[in-house]
Amino acid sequence: MTKNLVRFYAIGFTILVLFDTLVQLSFKYAGDHAFPPEANWAWIVRVFGHPWIYIAVIGYIGNFFTWMTLLKHAPIGPAFAVTHLEVVSVMLFSVWLFHEPLTLARVLGAVTIVAGIVCLAFAESGAHPEGDAPTEAKGALGVTAGD
């Protein structure tokens, strides 16, 4: 893996996790105004009358384009695993913004998630021997174009 590709993944996945985190935190703030849910027009106006729902939509759009860009280069398995860092980042932000407790069980769960992602990254780095074509150059069966 080249240094530029490592930098691309690091920046791309950081942006992706930030968008994911923004979406979840925005829904938390929007949810404060959404309950109790009602099946009427007033409820819809109430929910869409607060900016957090729009920030969540912007986060989803940013998330979509970042994810599509990353998938062009990254193998899906480890890439999808990295998206679960959102669970850890949302937990940390919820401690800070919503004063939710940071318990030992939550910390152990977060450490387990990070350890699993690191294991998948190491497994992926060994899956492509030197000189192997990058993921994007291969077709659905892992065959390089022209083979």
Side-chain angles (χ1 to χ4, degrees), residues 23-83:
V23 167
Q24 298 309 318
L25 295 174
S26 297
F27 277 134
K28 173 69 175 171
Y29 281 122
D32 290 343
H33 305 287
F35 282 95
E38 300 167 11
N40 59 40
W41 187 250
W43 180 80
I44 293 171
V45 170
R46 187 178 69 210
V47 168
F48 286 94
H50 292 277
W52 289 108
I53 198 75
Y54 300 106
I55 295 171
V57 170
I58 291 168
Y60 268 131
I61 292 169
N63 186 327
F64 173 79
F65 286 107
T66 305
W67 182 236
M68 290 298 108
T69 302
L70 285 166
L71 283 183
K72 184 176 178 184
H73 303 281
I76 184 77
F80 185 66
V82 173
T83 64

Side-chain angles (χ1 to χ4, degrees), residues 1 18 21 26 31-32 42 52 58 76 78 89 91 93 100 103 126 142:
M1 187 179 301
L18 289 174
T21 303
S26 297
D32 290 343
W52 289 108
I58 291 168
I76 184 77
S89 66
M91 180 189 71
F93 275 100
E100 294 181 1
T103 63

Side-chain angles (χ1 to χ4, degrees), residues 3-141:
K3 193 178 256 185
N4 285 340
L5 192 57
V6 170
R7 186 177 310 134
F8 170 79
Y9 285 160
I11 293 171
F13 282 111
T14 299
I15 292 171
L16 184 69
V17 169
L18 289 174
F19 274 127
D20 282 339
T21 303
L22 177 68
V23 167
Q24 298 309 318
L25 295 174
S26 297
F27 277 134
K28 173 69 175 171
Y29 281 122
D32 290 343
H33 305 287
F35 282 95
E38 300 167 11
N40 59 40
W41 187 250
W43 180 80
I44 293 171
V45 170
R46 187 178 69 210
V47 168
F48 286 94
H50 292 277
W52 289 108
I53 198 75
Y54 300 106
I55 295 171
V57 170
I58 291 168
Y60 268 131
I61 292 169
N63 186 327
F64 173 79
F65 286 107
T66 305
W67 182 236
M68 290 298 108
T69 302
L70 285 166
L71 283 183
K72 184 176 178 184
H73 303 281
I76 184 77
F80 185 66
V82 173
T83 64
H84 291 82
L85 282 175
E86 162 198 350
V87 175
V88 176
S89 66
V90 169
M91 180 189 71
L92 294 174
F93 275 100
S94 69
V95 169
W96 176 45
L97 295 172
F98 306 114
H99 308 289
E100 294 181 1
L102 186 61
T103 63
L104 179 61
R106 289 179 178 183
V107 171
L108 290 175
V111 169
T112 302
I113 290 169
V114 173
I117 292 168
V118 169
C119 287
L120 288 172
F122 279 120
E124 182 59 31
S125 67
H128 299 285
E130 198 69 29
D132 191 19
T135 302
E136 64 184 308
K138 293 182 177 180
L141 300 175

